[in-house]
């Protein structure tokens, strides 16, 4: 043990009751805005959740709550654009036993609805590729969605579906610019800083790297279990697998496993230092 090398004092500047425990959050790249959403299903009643589950938007610089947007159900994932001008969230609209959600909403900086996208809407068969082999999926819909992420420039939104599709749409237009099949449900996504790649945590115990220009799968690495939580830096992915008993570090260029650190249970929070020297 050693004495602290940094001293600091703190002052509470905001105390806001969101009505339900905040369990999802995101902060804009400049650190000014924060968005939160609840997740808890029980022991609260369905009627209470439907009445109180909302997205809350804060100005951290001004220490003020700007707006709430009711969604009426648990919210599995939400994200804020780097400039804080948009918020994307996935939800169901009512409390159900369904895990994946059917809708994505995009809200603007004032909390107004820009668009609402039904991700499982029936449509034509989709042309997809697997391992470079072109095929067609007859699935009438894309299935529910687990996660949504803005691109670093805020112009695109990526989401992953329960049926193994990674999809990228325009933030303002909803035009589809990428659609890739990765075989199993997609639980998390991350963009590379230059937006040339998308990394996907997939239910087949693998992490995938996807070229966003060509829609080609660059590599696939089995991390020993469903990658439940991760931290992504410029060169590495630090991953905790749901069924596995190790924390894995991947090289994002090659997909190679750098090392594995044995643990006794799943880790639900991971971080990589800004200089990538500490994990």
């Amino acid at each position: 043990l050693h004495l602290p090398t940094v001293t600091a004092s703190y002052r509470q500047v905001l105390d806001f009751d969101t009505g339900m425990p905040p369990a999802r959050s995101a902060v804009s790249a400049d650190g000014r805005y924060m968005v939160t959403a609840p997740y808890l299903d029980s022991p609260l009643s369905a009627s209470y959740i439907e009445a109180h589950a909302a997205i809350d938007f804060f100005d951290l610089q001004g220490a003020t709550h700007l707006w709430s947007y009711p969604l009426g159900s648990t919210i599995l994932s939400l994200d804020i654009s780097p400039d804080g001008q948009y918020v994307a969230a996935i939800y169901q609209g009512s409390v159900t036993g369904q895990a994946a959600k059917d809708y994505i909403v995009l809200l603007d900086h004032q909390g107004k609805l820009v668009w609402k996208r039904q991700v499982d809407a029936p449509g034509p068969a989709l042309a997809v590729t697997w391992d470079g082999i072109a095929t067609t999926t007859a699935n009438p819909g894309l299935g529910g969605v687990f996660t949504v992420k803005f691109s670093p420039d805020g112009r695109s939104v990526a989401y992953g579906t329960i049926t193994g599709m990674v999809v990228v749409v325009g933030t303002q237009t909803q035009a589809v610019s990428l659609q890739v099949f990765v075989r199993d449900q997609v639980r998390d996504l991350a963009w590379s800083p230059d937006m040339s790649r998308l990394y996907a945590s997939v239910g087949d115990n693998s992490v995938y790297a996807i070229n966003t220009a060509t829609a080609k799968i660059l590599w696939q690495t089995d991390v020993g279990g469903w990658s439940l939580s991760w931290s992504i830096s410029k060169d590495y992915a630090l991953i905790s697998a749901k069924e596995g008993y190790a924390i894995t570090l991947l090289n994002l260029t090659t997909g190679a496993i750098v090392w594995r650190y044995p643990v006794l249970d799943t880790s639900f929070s991971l971080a990589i230092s800004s200089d990538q020297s500490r994990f």
Side-chain angles (χ1 to χ4, degrees):
L1 297 176
H2 58 82
L3 294 174
T5 56
V6 176
T7 59
S9 61
Y10 300 91
R11 178 174 59 92
Q12 180 174 294
V13 296
L14 176 67
D15 182 4
F16 182 82
D17 185 355
T18 60
M20 289 179 63
R24 301 284 186 267
S25 65
V27 177
S28 60
D30 61 5
R32 175 162 184 179
Y33 300 104
M34 179 176 70
V35 60
T36 68
Y39 174 73
L40 188 65
D41 280 312
S42 61
L44 300 175
S45 66
S47 60
Y48 185 91
I49 294 172
E50 291 175 356
H52 293 85
I55 294 173
D56 288 290
F57 193 84
F58 300 87
D59 180 346
L60 299 180
Q61 181 174 309
T64 55
H65 175 262
L66 298 180
W67 50 260
S68 292
Y69 188 89
L71 285 180
S73 66
T74 56
I75 301 159
L76 288 184
S77 176
L78 81 165
D79 198 20
I80 187 170
S81 61
D83 60 4
Q85 296 304 302
Y86 293 101
V87 172
I90 58 175
Y91 80 110
Q92 193 64 28
S94 61
V95 177
T96 69
Q98 178 181 350
K101 307 305 179 184
D102 292 340
Y103 300 97
I104 299 175
V105 291
L106 185 78
L107 309 174
D108 68 12
H109 187 73
Q110 285 73 44
K112 297 179 180 179
L113 182 66
V114 178
W115 49 255
K116 175 181 175 181
R117 184 179 181 89
Q118 185 176 357
V119 297
D120 67 338
L126 303 170
V128 298
T129 61
W130 170 247
D131 199 22
I133 302 173
T135 185
T136 300
T137 175
N139 194 330
L142 293 177
V145 63
F146 282 109
T147 187
V148 61
K149 289 291 172 62
F150 280 103
S151 60
D153 64 2
R155 296 180 180 178
S156 300
V157 177
Y159 62 89
T161 75
I162 197 171
T163 51
M165 300 297 296
V166 175
V167 183
V168 177
V169 299
T171 300
Q172 296 181 336
T173 65
Q174 292 191 70
V176 176
S177 60
L178 178 74
Q179 199 160 262
V180 181
F181 179 54
V182 290
R183 297 196 304 178
D184 212 328
Q185 52 186 291
V186 181
R187 294 307 293 252
D188 211 345
L189 293 168
W191 291 82
S192 64
D194 62 2
M195 299 182 298
S196 65
R197 293 184 176 192
L198 260 175
Y199 305 104
S201 158
V202 181
D204 63 354
N205 296 347
S206 295
V207 172
Y208 289 76
I210 301 166
N211 185 308
T212 57
T214 65
K216 181 180 179 181
I217 296 173
L218 301 175
W219 51 258
Q220 169 199 357
T221 301
D222 189 325
V223 293
W226 195 341
S227 49
L228 189 67
S229 58
W230 63 4
S231 179
I232 306 292
S233 67
K234 179 176 178 291
D235 300 312
Y236 301 104
L238 188 65
I239 300 164
S240 172
K242 181 178 180 181
E243 297 87 0
Y245 292 94
I247 295 172
T248 302
L249 186 70
L250 291 186
N251 181 307
L252 291 179
T253 300
T254 64
I257 295 175
V258 181
W259 49 254
R260 275 188 169 147
Y261 185 85
V263 292
L264 296 178
D265 208 340
T266 304
S267 171
F268 289 93
S269 182
L270 302 166
I272 302 175
S273 64
S274 57
D275 64 359
Q276 302 187 119
S277 67
R278 298 288 187 270
F279 305 90

